[in-house]
Amino acid sequence: MIINRSSLCIVKELLFCSGNEIVSACYGLGLIFHESQRLKADWIVGSRSRDSGESRVNITELSEIPGVGEKIQQLLVEHFGSEAVALKVVLDSRVDLVAAAPGIGDKQAINIVKAAYEHQFGVSSNLILRSTDSRKIYEQTLDIIRGYANTPYAKDKLILYFPLPPSKIDEIKTRQKYFGDAAEIARGLAEEQRSAMKKNLSHVRGLYKRIKPRRLEGRVILTNDEKVFDKLIYEGVDKWCPVYIISEGERAIDYAQGYDLVIFISPLGVYDESVDMLDNVEVFGKDWSLGDVLPEMTVGFYARNYRVIDASCKLAEVFTEITPNQSMQQFVDGLDFEKLSRVGEILQNLNEDGEIAEGVDNTLDRFRKAVKAYPTAIAEVEAWLNEEITTRISKSQVTLGGQQIITILQSADAEGAETGSLRNMLPADIVETFSSTVAEAEDKLVQMLGLIPREADWVTGVISEEISLPVKLMPLQMNSLEDRLRRKFADRQFALSKKFAGELERLRDAVTNAVQTLLEFDLFLSVGLFARDYDLRTPDISLDYHGVGLQGASNIFLIESMMKGKHGKVQPIDYAIGETPFKPLGTNGENCAILSGANSGGKTTTIQTIAQIVTLAQAGFPVPAQLSYLPVFEEIYFFYKSRGMVSAGAFETTLKQFAEIVISDKSKLALFDEIEAITEPGSAANVIAGLIEILQEDPRSSTVLCSHLAREIRDVTKVPVRIDGIEARGLDEDLELIVDRTPRFGHLARSTPELIVERLAKKSRGKKQEVYMKILENLGKSRH
C-alpha cells in the first residue's frame, strides 16, 4: 500500500489518540465520529443484523462495491490517503465526504454509498421498485422528507431508506416504531421549540479535528531533551511557534531574547541558570503535555467548530424541555447535559477565533488594550508634553522672557549642553514647570495605558530627565515598557487559555458524542416533522394481508401543493384492492380492478396515492392515511400513461415489460395509468383484458388499472372484473361539478361530459338547448 502524506498524518493521530478516539482519528479529513454512535445509527437504517443474526456481507476492499472501478478507487484513495480510510468513510454512509473527493460529484457519491449499503445488507431499492415511474414517485416523496433535514448528514442518509422486501419485515417494524416515536415528539413541540431546533441544527455538522495552525507571535518553546523536541516537531508545534533544542554549552536566555512568553520543557528538571533570569518563563518537567505548552490546539478545536459546538449546547437546553419516549431516550442518553452546560459556559469566554473574549478577565483586558494603545499613547503623550511645556514657559513671568527661555532650551538641545548646567542657568520656576509637566505626562501615560497604582512606576524613565525642547523620550526604556506590557498580556492570556483548555479537553468526548447524536437526531426530527405537517399515521403491515386497504388516504404531492397555497383542501379517499381487514361495500377481496372516470376526476391521483403509501410503508415511514392495511410486496410497479400512441417498437418493448410482470412469481403491486395509449383503441381493450386475466390468477398480486375503456375491457374479458368509478355526483346550485374523489366500488363512472352537456343545456334556451338535449340523449344511450 502506498503511504502518502495524508496517511502519515492519520498514523500520527492514531499514535497519540486516546482509546475512544482511535476510530475518530481514522478520517483523512479529520472529522470525528464515535463507533458507538455509528452503530446506533446503523441499527435504525438496517444493520440490526449484528444482533438478530441476519446475514451481512463484510466489505474489505473498495473494489467489492458494485460500480466502483479502478478510476473511482484511485480518486478515493488519493483523496483520503489510504484505501482503509476511504472504505470506512463509504461504509459510514458519509455521502458528504465522498462527494468532496475531486472528480466525484454528489450524484456519484450517493450511488457509491448506496451501492455499498445495498451490497452489505443484501437489499436493493431497484429490486423492489421495478419500474422507472415507481422509483420516480418514491424519490419525489423522499425529496419532500429530505427537505425537512437541516444537516447534509441527515439529508444524505435518508437516501438509504428505501422500500424493503418481506424478508426484512422485522426491520420495517423497527423503523415504524422509531419514526412513530419521531412523529409523537414532533407533534408535542411548541413552535418556539421547533424554531430553536431548526435554527441550531442548521449549524450542526461533523467536527473537524485537524486544526489549522495559527502563528503565535511572541512565543517560543525551548527544551534540552531530544525526545521532547522530536515529539514537538512531530506534532507540528513548530507550525504554531518557534521550537528550539538547547544543546550542551548553550544558554536558554540566548534563545529567549525578544519573546513575550518562553516555555521551557526539561523532563529531568535540569536546566542552566539563565532560565532563572527570565521573568517571562513557564517551566514544565516530566509530566508535561501538549495541552500544557500549547493550549491553543485544544482551544483551536473549539474555535474551528465554534458554531457547531455552540449550537449543540443550545440544543441540549431545548432537549431538557422535552419529555422523551423510547426512541427519543436514545438521543437524551447521548447528551451529557451537565458537561454540555459547562462547555456552553466556557465558550462564552472565547470568541470564534479561539481567543479569550473581552470582558472575561479585567487584567487581560487592561493589558490587551495597553499593548494595542501603546504606540498611540506614546505619540500623544510626547506631543502633549512638548506643547504643554512650551505653553507654560511662554506664559512665564520670570525676568527672562518666556520666548527667550524656549530659545535657550532649543539651542541647548541642539548643542548638547549638559542638564546640570542648564538647571543652574534657568530660573527655579522654569525647572519646576519642566519637572511637574513631565510628571503629569507620566501620569497621563499611566492613565492611557490603564495601569493600576502598583504598576505606575513602570513608566518611570520613559521620559528623559534632561531639560530640553523637544523633550526626549528614551528608546531603551520605551521598548522595555512595551515588552513588559506584551509579556504581561502573553502570560495572562496563556494562563487563562491553559485553564480553559484543560477543562475543555476533558469535555471533548461529551461534545463529540453530542454532535453525532444531534446529527442522527436531525434525521429523526425530519421524519417526525414530515409526519406532523402531513398528518401521517403508522400503517398496519402484515404478511397475512394480500392487498391494500386504505381509509382517509391523501396524496402527498397534493398536500405539498396545498401547503404552498397552490391547491385547495385535499379530499381524503378510501380504497381497497385484494384481501385485507378493510372490505368496503361493493368489494369482495378482488385482487384486480379497473378504475374508471373522466379526465381530472382523480384516477391518476388515486393510484399515485396507493403507490406513495405502499412505498413509504415498506421503507418504514408513516403514511398519509388514517387507517391502512398493507402487505410487504416483493415488487412494485407503476406506469404513467404515455403521451400519445407509442410506436411499434415501443409497443413491443412495453409488452415485454408487461410479460415480465405477469410471469413473475413474486408478490407484487401493479398500478397502470391509461395504458390503452400503447396501441390503437380497437386493440387496446383486448391487450388489457389479457393482462387482467393472468394477473387475477395470482392471489399475491394486486392490480389497479385506470382506463377510459372500462366498458370495452369488461366486454372482452373472459373473467369477471371489478370496475370502480370516480365521477361527479351532479351539479351544485351554481351548476358547478360536484366530484366525489373516493371511487365507488363496483360502479362504472358516469361520464363527466354528460354533466358538462347537462350544465350547458340548463344554461341555454331555444334551439341551442335543443342541440344540447339531443347530445345528452345520445350520451345516455351509449352508457347503456
Side-chain angles (χ1 to χ4, degrees), residues 711-770:
R711 184 184 297 104
E712 291 82 352
I713 296 169
R714 181 184 59 187
D715 292 343
V716 297
T717 302
K718 296 178 182 178
V719 295
V721 57
R722 190 182 92 197
I723 297 178
D724 303 329
I726 300 175
E727 66 178 9
R729 289 187 280 112
L731 300 172
D732 63 17
E733 58 185 13
D734 296 322
L735 299 180
E736 296 295 331
L737 292 174
I738 304 172
V739 180
D740 188 351
R741 303 297 179 184
T742 292
R744 293 179 61 187
F745 301 105
H747 173 78
L748 180 64
R750 181 184 178 188
S751 173
T752 303
E754 289 182 56
L755 293 170
I756 294 174
V757 175
E758 181 183 343
R759 179 171 62 184
L760 290 171
K762 289 181 178 180
K763 286 185 174 183
S764 303
R765 294 290 181 270
K767 291 187 176 182
K768 281 188 178 182
Q769 188 179 51
E770 292 178 8

Side-chain angles (χ1 to χ4, degrees), residues 18 47 209 297 366 435 540 641 671 707:
S18 59
S47 59
K209 183 177 182 185
M297 289 187 77
R366 285 197 304 108
S435 298
D540 180 356
K641 64 182 177 182
L671 304 168
S707 179

Side-chain angles (χ1 to χ4, degrees), residues 11-176:
V11 173
K12 181 173 73 175
E13 289 181 357
L14 288 171
L15 288 175
F16 294 101
C17 273
S18 59
N20 60 355
E21 286 189 339
I22 287 179
V23 173
S24 307
C26 284
Y27 281 156
L29 294 187
L31 287 153
I32 301 176
F33 288 90
H34 279 246
E35 184 70 5
S36 60
Q37 292 291 335
R38 188 177 70 81
L39 295 184
K40 181 188 293 183
D42 282 350
W43 177 73
I44 299 301
V45 180
S47 59
R48 195 167 159 268
S49 55
R50 301 169 190 265
D51 301 317
S52 62
E54 296 177 15
S55 61
R56 172 180 175 174
V57 177
N58 287 323
I59 299 176
T60 58
E61 297 179 357
L62 289 170
S63 59
E64 296 174 15
I65 301 173
V68 176
E70 290 184 9
K71 183 178 179 181
I72 294 178
Q73 292 176 49
Q74 184 178 358
L75 291 172
L76 291 174
V77 171
E78 287 179 354
H79 180 64
F80 291 106
S82 73
E83 183 174 18
V85 176
L87 184 61
K88 178 168 177 54
V89 172
V90 173
L91 296 184
D92 278 358
S93 306
R94 292 309 309 272
V95 175
D96 54 336
L97 298 189
V98 177
I104 297 179
D106 291 341
K107 187 173 182 180
Q108 192 168 33
I110 290 171
N111 291 337
I112 292 169
V113 168
K114 192 175 180 183
Y117 174 78
E118 292 178 342
H119 181 68
Q120 199 174 17
F121 298 106
V123 293
S124 171
S125 60
N126 288 349
L127 291 178
I128 307 296
L129 304 175
R130 297 287 289 168
S131 68
T132 300
D133 289 335
S134 64
R135 289 191 288 272
K136 182 179 179 181
I137 288 172
Y138 182 70
E139 287 167 2
Q140 288 177 326
T141 306
L142 189 62
D143 280 344
I144 294 174
I145 305 176
R146 293 175 71 216
Y148 280 84
N150 299 284
T151 64
Y153 177 88
K155 190 182 293 287
D156 292 339
K157 196 160 190 175
L158 277 166
I159 295 166
L160 300 181
Y161 289 81
F162 49 77
L164 298 174
S167 62
K168 301 290 183 181
I169 189 168
D170 288 343
E171 186 64 45
I172 293 172
K173 289 185 176 293
T174 296
R175 292 184 183 182
Q176 281 188 324

Side-chain angles (χ1 to χ4, degrees), residues 454-608:
R454 69 169 178 268
E455 300 163 350
D457 62 348
W458 293 358
V459 305
T460 302
V462 170
I463 303 174
S464 173
E465 294 181 355
E466 295 181 6
I467 297 179
S468 64
L469 276 179
V471 177
K472 293 180 179 179
L473 269 61
M474 308 302 289
L476 185 61
Q477 284 79 359
M478 287 170 58
N479 292 337
S480 178
L481 175 57
E482 185 173 21
D483 290 344
R484 190 170 197 172
L485 293 173
R486 289 184 179 279
R487 289 198 303 273
K488 291 293 184 181
F489 171 68
D491 183 65
R492 188 64 178 171
Q493 182 170 247
F494 179 77
L496 290 171
S497 294
K498 192 167 68 168
K499 172 190 171 186
F500 292 136
E503 192 170 358
L504 288 173
E505 186 59 40
R506 292 190 294 273
L507 296 168
R508 188 185 291 218
D509 281 352
V511 168
T512 300
N513 286 330
V515 170
Q516 182 60 22
T517 295
L518 291 170
L519 288 171
E520 291 298 335
F521 174 74
D522 187 38
L523 188 151
F524 177 83
L525 181 65
S526 299
V527 179
L529 291 175
F530 170 63
R532 168 181 167 166
D533 291 350
Y534 284 75
D535 193 24
L536 308 187
R537 297 288 185 271
T538 300
D540 180 356
I541 291 183
S542 173
L543 297 182
D544 294 330
Y545 300 156
H546 299 290
V548 176
L550 306 176
Q551 292 179 268
S554 300
N555 187 283
I556 291 288
F557 303 152
L558 291 186
I559 298 174
E560 181 188 33
S561 294
M562 180 187 70
M563 291 170 65
K564 293 179 178 178
K566 298 179 181 180
H567 192 281
K569 185 177 180 181
V570 177
Q571 182 181 335
I573 64 165
D574 298 340
Y575 199 73
I577 188 71
E579 291 283 353
T580 74
F582 178 51
K583 296 179 179 179
L585 186 66
T587 68
N588 191 30
E590 300 91 347
N591 70 329
C592 189
I594 300 173
L595 186 55
S596 64
N599 290 330
S600 302
K603 300 190 305 299
T604 301
T605 299
T606 296
I607 61 172
Q608 191 183 68

Side-chain angles (χ1 to χ4, degrees), residues 5 61 116 201 267 282 312 348 367 390 570 582 660 729:
R5 183 179 179 85
E61 297 179 357
L201 280 169
E282 292 276 348
S312 300
Q348 293 179 8
F367 289 131
T390 301
V570 177
F582 178 51
E660 291 294 328
R729 289 187 280 112

